[in-house]
Amino acid sequence: MQDSLQQFVPDDQVYKYLVNNVWTSSTSNQLIDVLSPIDHSLVGKVQAMTKQEVADLVQNSQQGFFVWSNMTMDKRSEILTLSSQILEKNIDILTHMLCWEIGKTYEDSRDEVLRTAKLIQFYAEEGRRIRNESLYSEVFPGFGDTKIAVTKRVPLGVVLAISPFNYPVNEGAPKLVGALIAGNSVIFKPSLQGAISALYMTECFRLAGLPAGVLNVVTGRSSEIGDELVSNSHIKAINFTGSTQTADRIRAKMGIIPFIAGLSGKDASIILDDANIDLAIPEVAKGAFSYSGQRCTAIKRVLVHEKIADSFVEKLKEYVSKHFVLGDPRERQTTQGPVISMDTVNLVDALREDALAKGADLVLGEKNDTFTNRLYYPCTIIDHVTEDMRLAWEEPFGPILPIIRIKSIDEAISIANKSDFGLQSSVFTRSLDSAFYIAKRLDVGTVQINGKDARGPDHFPFLGVKQSGIGQVQGAAYLIEAMTRIKTIVINTNE
Ligand code: NAP
Ligand code: G3H
């Protein structure tokens, strides 16, 4: 069996889209350059698919669904397990691509691939544990022992998986395997920036023996093909991760089908005056600045008790200055790479200027001339941020952290809950009572006690409320269930 991705590396850097298990060139004859944020070098060119090609691909996915949904869970699990093994075997090439394409550090890129291989394996096993049940009419008044309902979780059909730029492999994979293990076929639309890494991952599934049409991959400009894709009536569910803004657009175009949405955030980390500061400092620093703050679960504001605020800020500055080394993410000593685009630089600049103009203090993040490429943005900490500043409320998706000083636990809860977003929050305190008091009152999907905000482990439930999601849950068993519906057969007994 061919299981090396070396053969997948094209001599001319041109990548194709996948339909019916065939890597295919678009009839548009248009290619889109994917440039590295590291140095603007060409990572590769991807196909700009046409609307007609998208429509044809959806048809093909319907045929794939018929074949795949009729395979046994055992066989599906076996193929996905093999995909996981192929992915892990090719960790070096995937790590290199991720690092180059999205500017994630070498170590974090490697972690992303390894974590994904484990995730695929876990989902492949979890599928075998889907629970079906039988119900008896005798427990309901008036029916006696006349009916037995047998329920079975069945797949939804063709599922559209749309992933963001920041985790091309690890945000793509659960959407694929969560749907596939349950018997759905999948159309995968990765973000343009990240698409090449996503294509490499897709090839692992193809090599593992997924039948034709079960996993098809779309590349192209969202402005050109996005509406066609999300509004196609043969799509039976959409699993989307990305910004709230894009989710709004998709919702306006899609049909009446399940929509799983992991969206933007403004996670607050609450530091009480009895917190273990030696624990909190590294957690908050990594929570805020790993991958330059380009994580949905990044800590995007710190609410620290005024009694300890001065020393907290000083220690945080010291830690971040020492541990975050800005540079080429391919080099091992680098712990912070470039941000993804000038849009991010411009937004972070605007939030920073607005806060400083309104009286906040720059603690860390002086700009210098070390880098001519402006995507290398320094870790920035801004203290004395107040509620009239944009930085208190807007998601920067970049390396900037506002510090808001609070006088009491209830003030912290109030400011945390005023946000439009509700993904996660963290609380640092030595008091379990205070931690629970706060956790119960925060309007978010998850509260972390004495640890940074984070999605994993990948079988934990993960969801956002308010503008951070619509309350549906990712995480192995939850997602697999969301990728199914109940089919009921009622046996009427006439005894
Ligand atoms: P984005 O710009 O909203 O893009 C997300 C995905 O949607 C990409 O694949 C994008 O493709 C696609 N897209 C854009 N317009 C579309 C349309 N009209 N129809 C169909 N698809 C369309 O988000 P991003 O910049 O990649 O990611 C950052 C955002 O995602 C942040 O707000 C972050 O908080 C959020 N996020 C949330 C989670 C979570 O689980 N809660 C996880 C990660 C990220 P193109 O890029 O090719 O346009
Ligand atoms: O960017 C959003 C991701 O879902 C965050 O995942 O907490 O593992 O970095 P993470």
Side-chain angles (χ1 to χ4, degrees):
M1 187 192 60
Q2 213 288 90
D3 63 0
S4 167
L5 288 181
Q6 276 309 335
Q7 336 273 333
F8 189 67
V9 184
D11 294 336
D12 55 2
Q13 287 185 288
V14 173
Y15 292 89
K16 298 176 177 173
Y17 70 90
L18 186 68
V19 61
N20 204 33
N21 267 355
V22 179
W23 291 105
T24 307
S25 298
S26 171
T27 54
S28 72
N29 290 322
Q30 282 184 28
L31 298 170
I32 306 169
D33 289 352
V34 178
L35 304 180
S36 170
I38 297 174
D39 52 7
H40 307 301
S41 57
L42 180 70
V43 182
K45 295 168 187 273
V46 296
Q47 307 291 321
M49 287 177 68
T50 63
K51 287 185 181 146
Q52 187 56 51
E53 283 164 341
V54 167
D56 294 344
L57 180 143
V58 177
Q59 290 278 349
N60 180 259
S61 296
Q62 281 189 285
Q63 291 158 21
F65 171 65
F66 185 74
V67 174
W68 185 241
S69 58
N70 282 302
M71 270 192 182
T72 61
M73 174 64 77
D74 182 47
K75 185 67 189 163
R76 294 199 295 258
S77 181
E78 194 182 291
I79 293 174
L80 295 179
T81 298
L82 190 55
S83 316
S84 152
Q85 290 160 358
I86 296 175
L87 185 73
E88 188 162 352
K89 180 165 188 252
N90 288 281
I91 189 166
D92 291 338
I93 195 164
L94 255 302
T95 300
H96 166 74
M97 284 313 305
L98 267 178
C99 210
W100 189 18
E101 189 175 19
I102 62 158
K104 192 171 271 190
T105 60
Y106 175 85
E107 199 181 320
D108 285 351
S109 297
R110 203 172 170 83
D111 276 357
E112 177 169 346
V113 181
L114 199 55
R115 170 181 175 182
T116 305
K118 290 182 196 312
L119 175 158
I120 296 170
Q121 173 68 59
F122 192 95
Y123 272 71
E125 287 164 15
E126 190 65 31
R128 296 180 190 269
R129 294 191 275 268
I130 288 181
R131 264 183 354 110
N132 297 304
E133 57 189 1
S134 49
L135 294 106
Y136 294 81
S137 61
E138 57 158 348
V139 301
F140 199 91
F143 283 89
D145 193 9
T146 57
K147 291 171 187 283
I148 304 167
V150 180
T151 70
K152 184 169 196 283
R153 290 217 157 254
V154 296
L156 302 171
V158 180
V159 172
L160 173 60
I162 304 180
S163 60
F165 80 82
N166 65 337
Y167 275 101
V169 171
N170 191 264
E171 276 286 356
K175 293 175 178 57
L176 307 192
V177 283
L180 290 173
I181 191 65
N184 303 281
S185 62
V186 175
I187 296 172
F188 182 23
K189 198 222 78 70
S191 174
L192 253 187
Q193 194 81 40
I196 296 177
S197 304
L199 294 177
Y200 276 82
M201 175 174 68
T202 303
E203 176 65 355
C204 297
F205 287 95
R206 196 187 69 86
L207 291 175
L210 272 187
V214 173
L215 173 60
N216 288 329
V217 187
V218 168
T219 59
R221 292 193 178 81
S222 294
S223 53
E224 176 68 22
I225 54 170
D227 290 352
E228 168 69 31
L229 201 49
V230 302
S231 63
N232 189 302
S233 60
H234 300 300
I235 304 270
K236 298 300 179 213
I238 299 179
N239 189 349
F240 170 81
T241 298
S243 63
T244 306
Q245 204 182 356
T246 305
D248 272 344
R249 182 181 172 102
I250 292 174
R251 281 237 279 196
K253 300 282 173 188
M254 63 187 269
I256 304 172
I257 54 174
F259 184 48
I260 296 181
L263 309 178
S264 312
K266 185 72 181 173
D267 291 9
S269 187
I270 298 174
I271 322 289
L272 299 188
D273 54 2
D274 67 346
N276 176 346
I277 296 299
D278 293 337
L279 167 79
I281 294 288
E283 288 293 300
V284 169
K286 288 177 202 154
F289 294 117
S290 52
Y291 191 38
S292 290
Q294 299 171 116
R295 296 166 49 246
C296 59
T297 49
I299 293 175
K300 291 171 183 145
R301 42 195 181 135
V302 166
L303 310 180
V304 58
H305 198 283
E306 60 181 7
K307 274 196 209 156
I308 56 156
D310 285 344
S311 85
F312 177 85
V313 171
E314 198 44 47
K315 285 183 177 165
L316 185 64
K317 175 185 176 181
E318 201 180 302
Y319 185 95
V320 174
S321 311
K322 189 168 160 201
H323 289 90
F324 285 82
V325 180
L326 187 58
D328 186 324
R330 292 168 297 194
E331 288 165 13
R332 305 298 158 88
Q333 77 275 11
T334 298
T335 45
Q336 189 203 354
V339 296
I340 203 71
S341 70
M342 278 309 290
D343 285 349
T344 302
V345 171
N346 293 334
L347 176 58
V348 174
D349 269 347
L351 298 180
R352 167 184 171 129
E353 294 319 319
D354 174 72
L356 297 181
K358 288 175 180 158
D361 298 320
L362 182 68
V363 174
L364 189 69
E366 285 294 353
K367 296 194 187 163
N368 59 44
D369 298 333
T370 315
F371 296 98
T372 46
N373 178 351
R374 288 186 59 210
L375 299 182
Y376 289 83
Y377 203 102
C379 289
T380 302
I381 300 174
I382 309 229
D383 196 2
H384 295 107
V385 169
T386 48
E387 292 188 48
D388 56 328
M389 300 173 189
R390 290 176 61 192
L391 190 53
W393 308 114
E394 292 181 36
E395 181 192 55
F397 223 60
I400 186 166
L401 181 66
I403 310 281
I404 301 173
R405 291 163 181 244
I406 44 116
K407 291 184 173 52
S408 68
I409 287 180
D410 288 318
E411 187 189 9
I413 295 168
S414 161
I415 296 177
N417 281 343
K418 265 188 209 168
S419 170
D420 291 337
F421 300 106
L423 193 56
Q424 293 204 350
S425 274
S426 46
V427 184
F428 290 88
T429 172
R430 284 192 168 88
S431 157
L432 205 54
D433 286 347
S434 301
F436 264 83
Y437 179 87
I438 296 173
K440 277 163 70 178
R441 286 162 178 78
L442 289 176
D443 199 5
V444 294
T446 304
V447 179
Q448 303 272 351
I449 296 173
N450 291 326
K452 65 176 187 299
D453 305 36
R455 173 167 43 112
D458 291 303
H459 68 306
F460 278 14
F462 179 62
L463 72 155
V465 299
K466 301 198 279 186
Q467 299 279 301
S468 293
I470 48 177
Q472 277 161 313
V473 183
Q474 315 253 13
Y478 305 94
L479 183 54
I480 294 171
E481 187 168 304
M483 290 290 107
T484 64
R485 64 184 167 81
I486 288 176
K487 173 84 176 281
T488 307
I489 298 171
V490 178
I491 304 163
N492 289 277
T493 61
N494 297 311
E495 50 169 332

